[in-house]
Amino acid sequence: MKKFYVSLFFLSAMISNAQSFEEISQPNLKNYFYSAAAVADVDNDGSQDIFFTGAIDADGDTNVDTTSNSLYKNSNGTFSSIQDFGENSVHLSAVKFIDFDNDGLLDVITTGLSYNDIVNYQQYRYKNTGSGFTLVDNAAGKIYGGLDVFDFNHDGKQDYAINGTQYVEGVGFTHELDLYLNNSAGFQKNTAWAAGTQNGSFKVIDVNNDNELDLIVNGYNANYKGTFSIYINENGNLVKKSELPVVSDSKMSFADFNGDGFQDFVVAGQDENYDPYLAVFINDGQGNFTENKIEGEGLSGGGVEVGDFNNDGYYDFVVIGDNDYESYSKIFLYNPQLQKFEKDENTNLYNLGSQGTLAVFDYNNDGNLDILANGFDWDDPDLLPYTKLFKNKTTVTNQKPDAPTILTATDNDGKIKFTWSGATDDKTPENSLQYELSVGSEAGKTDIAKYIVTTKSWYLDKMDLPSKIFWSVKSIDAAKKYSDKSQEKELAVLGVADVKNTTVSIYPNPVKGVLNVKSTSKIKTHKVYNLAGQSLNTELTSDSTIDFSRFDKGIYVVEIQFENGKKTTRKVIKN
């Protein structure tokens, strides 16, 4: 792929609205080794809280010795630990918030390593009860990879994927990207959903605005070769589209930098020669990305996050990491006139390096994006890590965006398609806005779906929807400020089966060979469709099975018509 190199102006006088930050003392935040953090309002009090994973020096001898995870509550800008997760803690980790039961409370998933066992890679799922987090499940986990949350099959329930290194007894170390599909009662694991990596990063995101989620993943593959792959979702299958320049020891963050309506991204890591690397990739709208390498500014082993730091309406980014055993923290501001990023020399950030975490959020609700950073300080004689919170001192104001005003829902081909327009912001271009879609079974509820999308449309599979739904949308600007909720819309879902007094089981799902269809009511007819809406030639045998073995991997819809006049549909994944 042709490379384009970004020339940078390093004089702060040439940067419009150069920013500065000041460190805010937070003595309750531990100085974590090998950390990760997730930020969200877990108790719905309007302030952002922090879930930290990592390890600590418990005995004060400057050496890490104990895995420790904590939830920190934000009270008027001051953080205090309100829950410690004891022996179920992880480091070399990843952590994400996810409302896996759609009860309006954010739950948590973590994955990583515990000092209790050097090959005890675990993942933990915690339910938010409203008064704290309770462990509901744990399973084999991964390190040196990552974790992402999304709704891949459009059923309104959030799924997730884990990438990285896993130790399997009797096999050794594996490197796979596994999908966990949410079926309300738990998660169904789809092992090796895509070729996994170690010492890399990944993101599940819609890169071509077709309302289907695609995949970008980099790092070292199972053969320990560097890779950077783009997968496009074709009828539920992830098909490799292209390869980008090799990157490892990396982090990525996504946003529409140039306001054209398509998701771009920034990546920091090491290139194929193990040299520090920093580049912005611009999306042409078809999922093709142009590399804009920022020469001389590469950092590896740290983190990168996006957000509008100078309140001009455009996404900037902050990056921390290492270069030749020196730690750096840098901010790059997007110049919309020149359509390029320029380094801000006036940040006042503390230089932090590898094996840490980075988060961008408004901790004190003043309308400005602040920075939470954790990592090693290579200048420290004991090579200790530090956790730092930096307040954004900008005086430029940012108004919250307006919600969409034109909302439309259509019912077609087994899908409810939601579209909206009319959202505006004082600074962020409309094309760069993101949206929070909420769908409920009653007015004011969000028990069917609630998550962020990057397009002005989305769809839900209607097979499990009630006969009436209520939906609304919020706009989100580049400074991560939310609009008020749009006017809530009501929709009658046509053709939804009233299957009361009829129980049907369709299993296993995912399926490799034979699919079983069991029902308390007599089945009249059946149909199987692919995601293109084509009806496939199938037979329901006398023992109520359907042979899926000849089908390609992907997602299919099974429609069952009962003799009592009722009808139901189920989405089935073929492995």
Side-chain angles (χ1 to χ4, degrees):
M1 176 174 288
K2 187 176 180 180
K3 296 182 179 180
F4 294 86
Y5 295 95
V6 176
S7 60
L8 298 173
F9 298 96
F10 295 116
L11 296 177
S12 60
M14 301 182 71
I15 300 175
S16 61
N17 297 322
Q19 300 305 295
S20 62
F21 291 78
E22 67 172 320
E23 184 178 345
I24 302 299
S25 176
Q26 294 287 341
N28 295 320
L29 293 178
K30 298 175 183 177
N31 292 321
Y32 288 96
F33 295 73
Y34 316 122
S35 70
V39 175
D41 181 6
V42 300
D43 51 6
N44 293 327
D45 67 350
S47 295
Q48 303 289 296
D49 310 300
I50 307 171
F51 196 114
F52 243 117
T53 62
I56 59 172
D57 170 20
D59 58 13
D61 66 353
T62 73
N63 294 311
V64 60
D65 49 43
T66 303
T67 309
S68 176
N69 295 177
S70 292
L71 173 67
Y72 292 90
K73 178 176 171 54
N74 183 348
S75 299
N76 298 318
T78 299
F79 292 94
S80 58
S81 177
I82 61 170
Q83 186 171 354
D84 184 84
F85 294 85
E87 64 180 11
N88 297 324
S89 296
V90 290
H91 65 279
L92 290 178
S93 48
V95 55
K96 290 287 184 181
F97 285 108
I98 172 176
D99 183 4
F100 52 64
D101 51 7
N102 282 2
D103 66 350
L105 296 173
L106 289 172
D107 312 302
V108 166
I109 299 173
T110 67
T111 182
L113 168 68
S114 169
Y115 275 114
N116 294 329
D117 184 342
I118 60 172
V119 291
N120 182 26
Y121 305 163
Q122 292 289 313
Q123 61 163 300
Y124 297 100
R125 289 195 287 266
Y126 296 97
K127 176 175 172 53
N128 186 345
T129 65
S131 57
F133 287 90
T134 300
L135 181 65
V136 294
D137 197 12
N138 75 288
K142 299 177 186 288
I143 62 173
Y144 299 132
L147 170 64
D148 199 16
V149 172
F150 46 86
D151 177 13
F152 188 74
N153 56 358
H154 293 265
D155 63 355
K157 297 181 284 288
Q158 290 182 301
D159 314 306
Y160 69 96
I162 298 181
N163 185 36
T165 300
Q166 184 176 14
Y167 180 78
V168 179
E169 189 71 35
V171 176
F173 293 99
T174 63
H175 315 296
E176 296 171 337
L177 202 163
D178 300 330
L179 170 67
Y180 291 80
L181 281 174
N182 187 343
N183 63 10
S184 294
F187 289 88
Q188 294 174 326
K189 183 180 179 182
N190 191 346
T191 303
W193 180 48
T197 61
Q198 66 167 331
N199 285 56
S201 53
F202 81 102
K203 179 68 176 176
V204 177
I205 195 166
D206 184 0
V207 301
N208 54 2
N209 287 9
D210 65 351
N211 290 166
E212 300 292 352
L213 291 172
D214 312 299
L215 170 67
I216 301 179
V217 59
N218 59 49
Y220 292 107
N221 63 19
N223 297 318
Y224 300 99
K225 288 187 61 177
T227 183
F228 200 159
S229 303
I230 310 292
Y231 293 83
I232 297 299
N233 186 336
E234 296 182 1
N235 296 326
N237 295 313
L238 293 176
V239 179
K240 185 182 289 189
K241 179 180 177 66
S242 61
E243 286 282 332
L244 300 177
V246 169
V247 175
S248 63
D249 202 14
S250 68
K251 291 292 189 296
M252 298 186 293
S253 192
F254 286 73
D256 177 11
F257 293 127
N258 57 5
D260 65 354
F262 299 100
Q263 293 298 300
D264 314 304
F265 69 93
V266 55
V267 60
Q270 292 180 344
D271 64 16
E272 61 183 348
N273 298 315
Y274 306 104
D275 293 324
Y277 175 88
L278 181 65
V280 174
F281 285 81
I282 300 300
N283 185 353
D284 70 351
Q286 302 299 315
N288 302 305
F289 292 88
T290 300
E291 178 193 35
N292 293 268
K293 190 174 180 181
I294 303 179
E295 293 286 4
E297 298 293 340
L299 296 175
S300 64
V304 60
E305 290 292 337
V306 299
D308 181 8
F309 295 118
N310 56 357
N311 285 345
D312 68 347
Y314 289 86
Y315 283 96
D316 314 305
F317 68 86
V318 56
V319 58
I320 65 173
D322 301 333
N323 187 338
D324 195 22
Y325 296 102
E326 291 189 39
S327 307
Y328 293 93
S329 299
K330 307 176 184 182
I331 287 179
F332 292 85
L333 303 175
Y334 185 74
N335 186 322
Q337 286 75 39
L338 299 177
Q339 295 188 351
K340 67 196 307 183
F341 283 94
E342 300 173 331
K343 184 180 176 183
D344 181 358
E345 299 283 4
N346 247 352
T347 63
N348 298 323
L349 298 179
Y350 192 93
N351 288 325
L352 292 171
S354 64
Q355 303 299 332
T357 193
L358 193 61
V360 171
F361 65 111
D362 182 4
Y363 87 95
N364 57 353
N365 292 333
D366 66 352
N368 303 322
L369 284 179
D370 311 302
I371 297 172
L372 173 72
N374 167 267
F376 285 98
D377 177 5
W378 291 108
D379 288 334
D380 186 279
D382 294 315
L383 297 180
L384 291 176
Y386 293 95
T387 300
K388 304 281 187 179
L389 179 66
F390 300 97
K391 177 184 176 181
N392 188 340
K393 295 174 62 179
T394 183
T395 58
V396 179
T397 59
N398 175 50
Q399 304 298 320
K400 66 182 179 183
D402 293 324
T405 56
I406 304 173
L407 280 70
T408 304
T410 57
D411 183 343
N412 191 29
D413 293 332
K415 302 175 182 178
I416 303 298
K417 178 73 174 285
F418 306 96
T419 60
W420 52 86
S421 61
T424 59
D425 185 63
D426 60 331
K427 294 171 182 173
T428 300
E430 182 180 350
N431 282 336
S432 292
L433 294 173
Q434 297 185 358
Y435 302 93
E436 182 185 74
L437 172 66
S438 296
V439 185
S441 60
E442 298 177 12
K445 281 191 173 183
T446 58
D447 56 331
I448 294 175
K450 182 182 179 183
Y451 45 68
I452 293 173
V453 299
T454 59
T455 52
K456 299 176 187 176
S457 62
W458 194 250
Y459 78 85
L460 290 179
D461 192 310
K462 78 175 193 178
M463 64 180 179
D464 289 326
L465 294 179
S467 59
K468 186 179 292 185
I469 62 174
F470 300 80
W471 68 286
S472 63
V473 184
K474 290 183 179 180
S475 307
I476 310 169
D477 70 12
K480 304 188 180 183
K481 185 171 287 189
Y482 285 66
S483 74
D484 295 330
K485 185 175 73 173
S486 71
Q487 180 182 359
E488 191 171 57
K489 293 288 186 176
E490 178 181 337
L491 176 70
V493 182
L494 301 177
V496 172
D498 177 10
V499 293
K500 187 176 180 180
N501 300 323
T502 297
T503 301
V504 61
S505 298
I506 297 179
Y507 62 93
N509 190 8
V511 62
K512 290 186 177 180
V514 172
L515 184 75
N516 297 282
V517 182
K518 307 298 182 184
S519 173
T520 57
S521 297
K522 192 170 183 180
I523 297 174
K524 180 179 180 181
T525 61
H526 85 286
K527 291 182 180 179
V528 177
Y529 300 92
N530 61 23
L531 286 188
Q534 299 168 320
S535 179
L536 307 180
N537 183 21
T538 59
E539 178 185 359
L540 184 66
T541 65
S542 58
D543 60 350
S544 296
T545 63
I546 302 173
D547 183 11
F548 266 68
S549 62
R550 60 190 176 87
F551 295 157
D552 294 333
K553 290 184 177 181
I555 299 177
Y556 297 85
V557 175
V558 177
E559 180 183 278
I560 304 296
Q561 181 79 47
F562 302 102
E563 287 195 350
N564 62 8
K566 310 304 181 186
K567 182 174 71 173
T568 188
T569 57
R570 293 288 189 272
K571 187 176 288 185
V572 174
I573 296 175
K574 168 63 168 59
N575 277 345

